[in-house]
Amino acid sequence: MIQKKYHILVIDDDPVVLKTVASYLSEEYIVGLAKSGEMALRFLEREDVPDLILLDIDMPVINGFAVLKELKNKEKTANIPVVFLTGLLEEENEIRGLELGAMDYIRKPVSRAVLLARVRLHINANQRFCQRGQFDEEKASAIAVPLSNRELETARLLALFYSNEKICQTLHISMSYTKKLVAAVLNKLDLDNRDDIRKFLR
C-alpha cells in the first residue's frame, strides 16, 4: 500500500531558508515554496490546500500576521494548520501569532530534527481531527458571542476529547492559558462540562 505524502507550503522571502527547509522536508513530504505572502495567497486561491503551512513573519508588503488573517478569514483555508517559522525573538510576536490562530512558533535557525518533529506532530494531530468527530463550526457560529480564532482551535481539540495537558502540548501554550481558553469555549457554547462538546460534533 502506497503511503500518502502530505503537502506542506513554505512561505518565506529568504531563498536560503526556502532551500534549507525544503531539503529538510522533501524526503517525507511534498513541499511547495512561496517567496512572498502575495504569491502564497494567489497559489492558495487556485490550488488544493496544503496539509500544513510554514510561515515567516517578517516579509515585505504582506507580513506573516496579515497572511494568517487572510487564511483564517476564508473558508477554503481557515482550517489549515499554520506554524510560524521566524527569526523574530520578541515574546509579543509569539503571543500575537498564537492569538491569531497559529498552531506553533519555531525560531530560526531551526534544526532539521526539531522541524521534522514539529511538522509530524501537527500533521498527525490534524489527521486525527479529520478522521474523528469534527467540531461543527457552522453550528457554533450561531452563538451570541463568537469564538475567537484561538478558542476555535481549542474547541476543535476538545472535540477530539483532548485533555488540558494535551491541548497545552499541541498548541504549545501555558497550562494557565489553556484553562482560560477551555473555560471561554465552554462558557460561550453554554456547556456544563467538556464532555458536552458532543452537542457540537457533526
Side-chain angles (χ1 to χ4, degrees):
M1 182 177 179
I2 298 175
Q3 187 175 6
K4 174 184 175 182
K5 268 199 167 187
Y6 295 106
H7 178 199
I8 298 172
L9 177 63
V10 186
I11 308 168
D12 199 302
D13 63 320
D14 187 338
V16 175
V17 172
L18 290 177
K19 183 177 180 180
T20 301
V21 172
S23 70
Y24 288 167
L25 299 175
S26 57
E27 287 188 11
E28 293 187 32
Y29 304 98
I30 299 168
V31 182
L33 304 176
K35 61 183 180 181
S36 69
E38 308 99 297
M39 179 183 289
L41 293 173
R42 288 197 300 270
F43 172 86
L44 291 166
E45 284 180 358
R46 65 178 186 270
E47 302 292 340
D48 291 339
V49 297
D51 297 290
L52 180 74
I53 290 175
L54 295 175
L55 176 61
D56 185 26
I57 293 177
D58 191 15
M59 298 185 293
V61 186
I62 303 178
N63 66 26
F65 295 131
V67 171
L68 181 57
K69 285 182 181 178
E70 285 289 321
L71 296 176
K72 294 300 180 183
N73 285 333
K74 295 181 179 179
E75 183 177 357
K76 180 181 179 182
T77 57
N79 295 326
I80 305 172
V82 176
V83 174
F84 276 125
L85 183 62
T86 181
L88 297 180
L89 302 178
E90 295 82 3
E91 186 178 72
E92 57 265 29
N93 289 313
E94 181 172 357
I95 293 170
R96 183 181 178 190
L98 295 173
E99 289 178 343
L100 287 172
M103 295 298 291
D104 202 351
Y105 193 102
I106 304 174
R107 290 185 173 87
K108 302 174 187 173
V110 64
S111 74
R112 182 178 185 275
V114 169
L115 181 64
L116 285 171
R118 296 284 184 86
V119 167
R120 288 174 189 141
L121 171 71
H122 294 298
I123 289 283
N124 291 337
N126 194 53
Q127 292 310 305
R128 288 195 299 271
F129 165 71
C130 292
Q131 292 166 4
R132 297 173 63 180
Q134 294 188 20
F135 182 68
D136 192 337
E137 296 177 28
E138 183 177 351
K139 185 176 181 181
S141 67
I143 63 177
V145 181
L147 298 176
S148 68
N149 287 331
R150 206 54 173 164
E151 289 165 354
L152 182 56
E153 297 287 357
T154 303
R156 291 174 185 151
L157 296 179
L158 284 172
L160 295 175
F161 301 102
Y162 275 30
S163 65
N164 281 2
E165 182 178 1
K166 199 166 184 181
I167 292 173
C168 175
Q169 293 170 351
T170 301
L171 299 183
H172 295 278
I173 56 178
S174 68
M175 180 57 73
S176 61
Y177 188 31
T178 299
K179 291 178 179 178
K180 181 179 177 181
L181 287 170
V182 170
V185 169
L186 297 182
N187 180 58
K188 288 185 178 182
L189 297 181
D190 194 26
L191 302 177
D192 293 329
N193 59 69
R194 61 197 303 138
D195 286 342
D196 288 342
I197 196 74
R198 291 185 176 89
K199 298 175 183 178
F200 285 88
L201 293 184
R202 290 178 183 169

